[in-house]
Amino acid sequence: MSARETILANIMANQPVSQDLPQIDLQAVIHYDNVLQQFKTVLESIGGKTLEIKDWQELQAMMESDQAAGKRIINAISELGNIDETLSTMKAEELAMVQRAYIKAGIAVAENGSVWVDEAAMVNRLLPFIAEHLVLVIEQKNIVANMHHAYQQVASFETGFGMFLAGPSKTADIEQSLVIGAHGARSLLVCILPS
Amino acid sequence: MKIGLFIPCYIDQFYPGVGVASLELLEKLGCEVSFPLNQTCCGQPMANSGFEAMSKGCDKNFVKNFKGFDYIVAPSGSCVLHIKEHLHDEEDPRAAEQIRACVYELTEFLVDVLKVGSLQASFPFKVGLHTSCHGQRGLHLASMSELVAPAFSKPGTLLNMVKGIEVSRPKRVDECCGFGGTFCVFEEAVSVKMGKDRIGEHQDNEVEYITGVDTSCLMHLEGILRRQGSKIKTIHIAEILNSRL
Amino acid sequence: MSSLAKLTHAEAAEQFIADEPRTDWHDDTLWFVREKRDKAVNSIPEWEQLRQWASDIKYHGLSNMHQLLVDFEKNAIANCIEVHWAVDAKEHNELIYKIIQDNQIERIVKSKSMLTEECHLNEFLTEKGVEVVDTDLGERIVQFRKEAPSHIVLPAIHLKKQDVSETFHEHLGTEKGNNDPQYLTEAARGHLRDKFIASELAITGVNFAIAETGGFVVCTNEGNADMGAHAAKIHIACMGFEKIIPKAEHLAVFLRLLARSATGQPITTYSSHFSKPRAGQQMHLVIVDNGRSRQLGREEFRNSLKCIRCAACFNTCPVYRRSGGHSYHTAVAGPIGSILNPNLDMQANKDLPFASTLCGSCSNVCPVKINIHEQLYLWRQTITKEGLAPKTKTIAMWGMSEVLAHPAIYRLAGKMGRWVVKYLPFLTNNAMNPWFKQREMPQAPKESFRDWYLNNKQK
């Protein structure tokens, strides 16, 4: 017998009588009066920053001033300008030089300060991890209260890769001292567009 | 209401005062209490060491002694929990089942069954309350710091009825003292370290006594306190609730 | 696992505690994590309900494991993931070695995976001459020191920053005596960035695998799993089969519980959902049994397979905090390890279910409501039934049970015992008696309660 057959046969022989799945009551889970405020508070408590912006122009100006300062930036947001055609195939060596990446996010979650970013938005899977600093953009109407609502709206496995991202990379592996900027982005700014 | 007083073996042998206080307290509260003379032990020492099979003799003896009471009350959360969870008797399974259903730890009995609202007790000392695990997490004598649930404490409620007492809780309000049955000898180093740490937090509160619902925990803490030459004494909660100082 | 492997938990714990200030520090550091967990869970009013849902979803998973695995495999293959099966640790290691050889790989990075620790993958590959770089900061630290992780979430929690500083000075050339965690982390970031960029193959663990989509989720705070997986041309993810959950929507329940239970964070920084390899990449998934199907068949112990490896039971355990992870001499330490490891090797791990006071705190913090302390009790019974208890203990217990089963003998023994403690204290107050090493014996009263009762109440 193959390993697969052996394992599946042992499981079949040993698994208990089937028990139904529980009903998740979405009325019984946490809600917030002001999801925007909750989202901002939580994200800032885990090391992220938030900025409410008026429109895309404001963000464009930010990006332009980065460029003017000589920073190596990568834009993955079509509303902000052309996306580099080679981005999807860029290798780690090249991406490692990126100082700031601009990426559009989808759903944001008030209870934990995370935002959904998928492969379609990041263009290159490595980009949001390897860039030194990260700027994400969400629309205020996309903030939901909790993870149950978030999973109702995100196509979590459809693009090949996606993630909930909550704050900058961090570690507390040395004596439980929190250090921001372990392997991934050293800072995360989430810009919030009005709905 | 016929009450059988269950006095665990080590209380019988080493802390008779706890038994006396429990009996007097229950009688003061108007209960008719008798002490079955041939009782020994709940069988927990063997069972917790992995020898549940060897506790059958104890079980049988327990059933013989405590069959037919309306309530069985003991001044020990740990022994009561063991009876509740593990008492079996192949020859008389219904008696064992009935016993499991009517066995109570003393403070639980006072609060839930007698619904005591006041006590004629006075104990003008600073007392630290040790929350014994089996009573708390097993019998739910008090809320548990791990759970998201309203706070309560049956022993605490009763202590608050005592005149002159000043009750404090250690910083880690319900951490284990490290007694753990035979754990206290087979894992001696960890056991003692845990006990020392509990004592340290009570010391920070400048208590004169440490109390609790389980003499086993208190015996372990007392052993360390005496070795340290500490002035802090241990006292079972029954002795406080029964005191007239 | 160094020399500690030969010691029992009690012996290793005694050595650990010998350095009392360091034990206090270890205890406080982990208690701090427990406090952060408490704060986080108290912000969720439905926390206890959430635990129940998680526990029930996991039980549904265990009771439908066969079908869920078949579905998962079908969906994963449809998404171009190569699925492999391994009956035991040896097969798991050999499978991975074969992928390495077939692709002529030399540079490998690995993020945290307790399964690969359980299978001793690093040792296996090292013997074959293959170097694996652990990329989780804590794991890299212990890898440099040739130690095992002492905690499944905080692998280097047994070390102080001075220890890390010395290790990094030796291996990374950091400034001697610079103990600043920020500085040390920065040094590791630079060192590991080079490894990520150069790596050809990345190994990761799996936190959750979703039957209905054939995808899987990996959670980290550092971003190291993703740095590896997205930079390398081959990604191998390894999972015990119990990581399966039915649907993507169930991730909501588990991701709400995991980080809050583990570190008190509302969610891990990165909760990465993998479902297809990127263009030109190979993605392999190894499904491992290694004793899990046996545990599934043990009614009393199958719920241990619900574990999501948050380590909340470690942080709350008063014994773990005062004995350190290495005293458990296994890949997964702490209370959950003490109910998982006897299934892997009962003889070698027969001491672990006894390394507990059965206080029950572990079961209360467990996000999937595993009855850990009850299973510890049940493993004690199983181990004794298998004849694995020490002979002296068996004899002592037999003697005790005989005394306690017979009221007359009990009364006589009690009288003698009290008499001995009172008049011949040297028989009990000596170094052979572990109670007396650091504790006084109880003072013997002149009469038992029963004697008092007969004299005062029945006259």
Side-chain angles (χ1 to χ4, degrees):
Chain A
M1 269 207 303
S2 71
R4 179 185 184 278
E5 286 165 8
T6 305
I7 294 169
L8 287 174
N10 285 338
I11 288 172
M12 190 55 121
N14 287 340
Q15 71 187 21
V17 176
S18 175
Q19 183 179 291
D20 288 345
L21 278 168
Q23 288 292 321
I24 311 290
D25 176 7
L26 290 190
Q27 295 308 308
V29 300
I30 201 160
H31 288 73
Y32 305 95
D33 294 337
N34 184 339
V35 286
L36 171 64
Q37 192 50 52
Q38 176 70 18
F39 173 76
K40 286 168 65 178
T41 305
V42 177
L43 181 54
E44 280 161 23
S45 77
I46 54 176
K49 291 198 166 58
T50 60
L51 180 67
E52 289 183 61
I53 54 173
K54 289 195 304 290
D55 49 26
W56 288 108
Q57 278 77 38
E58 200 176 329
L59 199 61
Q60 222 153 14
M62 192 197 297
M63 200 168 82
E64 278 160 15
S65 78
D66 272 350
Q67 278 163 324
K71 282 189 182 144
R72 169 92 175 103
I73 66 139
I74 282 202
N75 170 40
I77 304 176
S78 56
E79 285 86 343
L80 292 182
N82 290 337
I83 299 169
D84 189 333
E85 279 172 14
T86 65
L87 175 57
S88 65
T89 54
M90 266 185 210
K91 294 276 173 269
E93 297 87 334
E94 198 176 343
L95 289 166
M97 315 294 281
V98 175
Q99 285 171 292
R100 199 186 300 274
Y102 287 75
I103 301 173
K104 197 171 169 183
I107 293 296
V109 188
E111 71 159 314
N112 58 26
S114 70
V115 293
W116 176 257
V117 188
D118 64 21
E119 187 160 21
M122 61 185 83
V123 184
N124 185 311
R125 290 186 189 187
L126 196 52
L127 180 63
F129 301 95
I130 201 165
E132 289 280 312
H133 300 274
L134 201 52
V135 178
L136 298 177
V137 188
I138 62 165
E139 288 180 56
Q140 193 183 325
K141 68 172 193 310
N142 290 337
I143 305 175
V144 297
N146 58 56
M147 290 297 280
H148 308 283
H149 292 154
Y151 274 102
Q152 286 182 327
Q153 297 193 35
V154 297
S156 48
F157 289 93
E158 267 163 37
T159 62
F161 177 74
M163 65 170 156
F164 284 102
L165 171 63
S169 159
K170 58 179 82 69
T171 183
D173 273 354
I174 302 175
E175 274 200 22
Q176 274 296 289
S177 302
L178 180 68
V179 178
I180 302 286
H183 299 300
R186 295 176 190 275
S187 77
L188 170 70
L189 173 68
V190 175
C191 296
I192 305 164
L193 279 166
S195 298
Chain B
M1 186 158 76
K2 266 173 55 195
I3 295 170
L5 182 64
F6 162 34
I7 298 298
C9 50
Y10 62 95
I11 296 184
D12 177 46
Q13 293 299 327
F14 289 109
Y15 297 93
V18 175
V20 175
S22 304
L23 177 62
E24 288 182 354
L25 181 61
L26 287 167
E27 287 182 341
K28 255 193 262 182
L29 293 165
C31 300
E32 186 197 323
V33 187
S34 53
F35 174 76
L37 289 168
N38 280 323
Q39 58 179 290
T40 58
C41 168
C42 63
Q44 184 172 206
M46 283 81 75
N48 276 6
S49 304
F51 296 87
E52 201 179 74
M54 283 188 192
S55 64
K56 279 188 186 138
C58 270
D59 280 11
K60 194 178 278 183
N61 186 57
F62 195 92
V63 171
K64 216 190 285 174
N65 274 274
F66 286 99
K67 197 173 158 176
F69 284 105
D70 297 321
Y71 293 101
I72 299 158
V73 180
S76 163
S78 187
C79 303
V80 168
L81 180 66
H82 185 76
I83 292 294
K84 250 192 194 322
E85 289 186 338
H86 301 291
L87 184 80
H88 293 284
D89 186 344
E90 281 162 20
E91 286 166 29
D92 202 346
R94 292 201 42 190
E97 192 190 332
Q98 193 259 335
I99 288 172
R100 290 199 303 271
C102 75
V103 64
Y104 281 81
E105 183 277 329
L106 179 68
T107 63
E108 180 186 31
F109 183 74
L110 262 48
V111 172
D112 292 351
V113 179
L114 297 184
K115 304 197 190 301
V116 167
S118 66
L119 285 167
Q120 297 299 313
S122 116
F123 195 73
F125 298 100
K126 285 176 141 178
V127 177
L129 177 57
H130 171 65
T131 302
S132 292
C133 306
H134 287 173
Q136 180 209 22
R137 297 196 184 84
L139 296 174
H140 299 182
L141 298 183
S143 51
M144 298 160 248
S145 64
E146 302 91 359
L147 302 184
V148 178
F152 71 93
S153 165
K154 293 174 194 178
T157 302
L158 293 169
L159 287 175
N160 286 339
M161 296 175 194
V162 176
K163 229 173 88 186
I165 199 169
E166 197 181 315
V167 181
S168 67
R169 314 286 173 118
K171 200 161 151 246
R172 297 182 190 175
V173 70
D174 55 7
E175 187 171 85
C176 176
C177 69
F179 172 68
T182 49
F183 179 87
C184 75
V185 286
F186 292 117
E187 285 266 5
E188 184 268 340
V190 183
S191 172
V192 170
K193 180 65 182 140
M194 286 167 67
K196 281 162 77 177
D197 291 353
R198 294 291 79 225
I199 287 168
E201 289 182 13
H202 284 292
Q203 260 162 354
D204 293 344
N205 290 338
E206 300 178 333
V207 304
E208 296 164 276
Y209 287 89
I210 298 173
T211 194
V213 301
D214 256 306
T215 303
S216 48
C217 307
L218 297 174
M219 174 171 75
H220 162 67
L221 295 175
E222 182 196 36
I224 298 168
L225 284 165
R226 281 178 46 221
R227 176 62 59 87
Q228 290 176 340
S230 171
K231 282 187 193 143
I232 300 173
K233 295 186 183 70
T234 54
I235 185 169
H236 190 273
I237 191 165
E239 296 173 288
I240 295 181
L241 301 180
N242 189 48
S243 66
R244 288 277 179 84
L245 297 173
Chain C
M1 293 237 172
S2 78
S3 60
L4 287 176
K6 292 184 192 82
L7 301 180
T8 64
H9 180 274
E11 290 163 344
E14 191 171 358
Q15 288 188 2
F16 187 85
I17 292 175
D19 187 345
E20 195 165 357
R22 198 172 171 118
T23 304
D24 288 337
W25 167 80
H26 189 263
D27 172 50
D28 285 338
T29 308
L30 287 155
W31 182 257
F32 173 59
V33 184
R34 158 76 205 272
E35 287 180 318
K36 287 196 292 185
R37 174 256 173 218
D38 288 353
K39 204 171 159 217
V41 308
N42 278 294
S43 73
I44 304 296
E46 70 273 23
W47 182 256
E48 303 303 333
Q49 175 66 69
L50 205 52
R51 291 173 69 218
Q52 191 60 51
W53 285 332
S55 189
D56 292 346
I57 294 167
K58 279 284 182 179
Y59 194 86
H60 171 89
L62 294 177
S63 67
N64 290 275
M65 188 51 73
H66 185 277
Q67 191 57 47
L68 291 176
L69 281 168
V70 170
D71 291 347
F72 174 78
E73 182 190 40
K74 189 182 87 205
N75 293 326
I77 291 171
N79 284 337
C80 305
I81 298 175
E82 288 183 48
V83 179
H84 309 263
W85 301 74
V87 167
D88 54 21
K90 186 167 166 279
E91 279 190 19
H92 163 266
N93 294 344
E94 282 167 355
L95 262 166
I96 291 173
Y97 183 55
K98 185 165 186 306
I99 298 170
I100 292 167
Q101 276 194 314
D102 288 351
N103 293 280
Q104 298 172 327
I105 299 296
E106 286 176 359
R107 294 180 301 277
I108 301 168
V109 291
K110 178 163 81 69
S111 66
K112 197 156 61 195
S113 146
M114 292 325 298
L115 177 69
T116 61
E117 294 289 341
E118 174 188 319
C119 295
H120 300 289
L121 176 67
N122 281 12
E123 289 94 318
F124 174 89
L125 291 179
T126 305
E127 271 175 36
K128 302 274 182 199
V130 178
E131 191 207 356
V132 179
V133 174
D134 281 329
T135 58
D136 173 84
L137 175 59
E139 286 213 316
R140 188 63 178 147
I141 294 167
V142 296
Q143 186 176 40
F144 278 142
R145 298 171 62 92
K146 298 189 165 47
E147 290 176 0
S150 66
H151 186 290
I152 58 175
V153 171
L154 314 163
I157 198 65
H158 59 292
L159 297 171
K160 296 189 123 179
K161 55 191 178 191
Q162 292 84 342
D163 305 322
V164 178
S165 173
E166 277 165 34
T167 302
F168 278 13
H169 174 66
E170 184 188 333
H171 291 272
L172 301 179
T174 56
E175 210 175 279
K176 199 174 171 62
N178 190 334
N179 303 335
D180 178 17
Q182 181 88 43
Y183 167 76
L184 296 169
T185 302
E186 190 62 32
R189 178 184 170 102
H191 158 70
L192 287 166
R193 279 223 152 196
D194 296 343
K195 300 288 182 189
F196 285 126
I197 290 167
S199 77
E200 302 163 293
L201 184 148
I203 300 170
T204 71
V206 170
N207 288 90
F208 305 98
I210 294 81
E212 75 168 355
T213 68
F216 58 92
V217 172
V218 182
C219 303
T220 72
N221 280 320
E222 298 181 5
N224 57 315
D226 289 283
M227 286 285 277
H230 306 313
K233 62 182 183 188
I234 301 173
H235 175 191
I236 307 176
C238 308
M239 59 176 259
F241 68 67
E242 80 283 12
K243 297 290 173 191
I244 288 274
I245 59 172
K247 297 173 180 190
E249 68 189 58
H250 296 139
L251 286 165
V253 172
F254 292 105
L255 293 183
R256 295 186 75 197
L257 289 163
L258 178 62
R260 289 187 175 101
S261 297
T263 60
Q265 293 170 262
I267 187 170
T268 48
T269 306
Y270 305 100
S271 306
S272 298
H273 298 50
F274 294 85
S275 55
K276 293 174 195 144
R278 67 171 193 275
Q281 188 193 30
Q282 286 179 38
M283 191 178 280
H284 299 263
L285 192 117
V286 186
I287 300 172
V288 182
D289 184 336
N290 204 34
R292 286 162 175 77
S293 59
R294 182 170 61 235
Q295 187 89 325
L296 185 64
R298 297 185 201 260
E299 193 185 342
E300 293 172 328
F301 303 120
R302 67 166 60 105
N303 280 333
S304 63
L305 296 172
K306 293 177 178 174
C307 177
I308 58 171
R309 302 292 192 271
C310 72
C313 62
F314 287 53
N315 305 334
T316 202
C317 179
V319 176
Y320 174 84
R321 278 187 265 109
R322 291 174 182 83
S323 58
H326 291 153
S327 65
Y328 293 76
H329 53 74
T330 46
V332 178
I336 185 68
S338 297
I339 62 171
L340 291 172
N341 291 307
N343 174 56
L344 294 178
D345 185 340
M346 213 187 296
Q347 169 66 31
N349 300 313
K350 63 185 180 189
D351 55 327
L352 297 181
F354 294 91
S356 163
T357 61
L358 307 182
C359 78
S361 187
C362 46
S363 304
N364 276 351
V365 295
C366 179
V368 290
K369 297 189 82 161
I370 300 169
N371 56 336
I372 302 174
H373 73 293
E374 290 169 5
Q375 292 192 36
L376 287 166
Y377 176 89
L378 293 167
W379 269 117
R380 293 181 184 187
Q381 312 308 326
T382 303
I383 285 163
T384 304
K385 261 183 233 151
E386 296 284 324
L388 295 174
K391 226 180 208 142
T392 48
K393 196 171 176 179
T394 309
I395 293 167
M397 284 298 149
W398 179 81
M400 194 193 255
S401 70
E402 282 298 298
V403 170
L404 294 171
H406 301 98
I409 305 176
Y410 159 76
R411 289 196 287 273
L412 181 67
K415 202 169 265 175
M416 283 167 57
R418 272 181 286 126
W419 193 84
V420 166
V421 170
K422 204 163 182 178
Y423 299 106
L424 302 173
F426 54 87
L427 281 184
T428 49
N429 295 356
N430 63 59
M432 297 296 285
N433 173 4
W435 176 279
F436 188 70
K437 256 174 95 176
Q438 301 184 72
R439 286 167 289 214
E440 296 298 322
M441 296 297 288
Q443 283 161 321
K446 64 178 195 304
E447 57 182 8
S448 69
F449 173 74
R450 185 178 184 275
D451 295 339
W452 175 88
Y453 185 81
L454 289 173
N455 291 334
N456 294 276
K457 289 280 170 182
Q458 293 221 324
K459 271 182 180 165

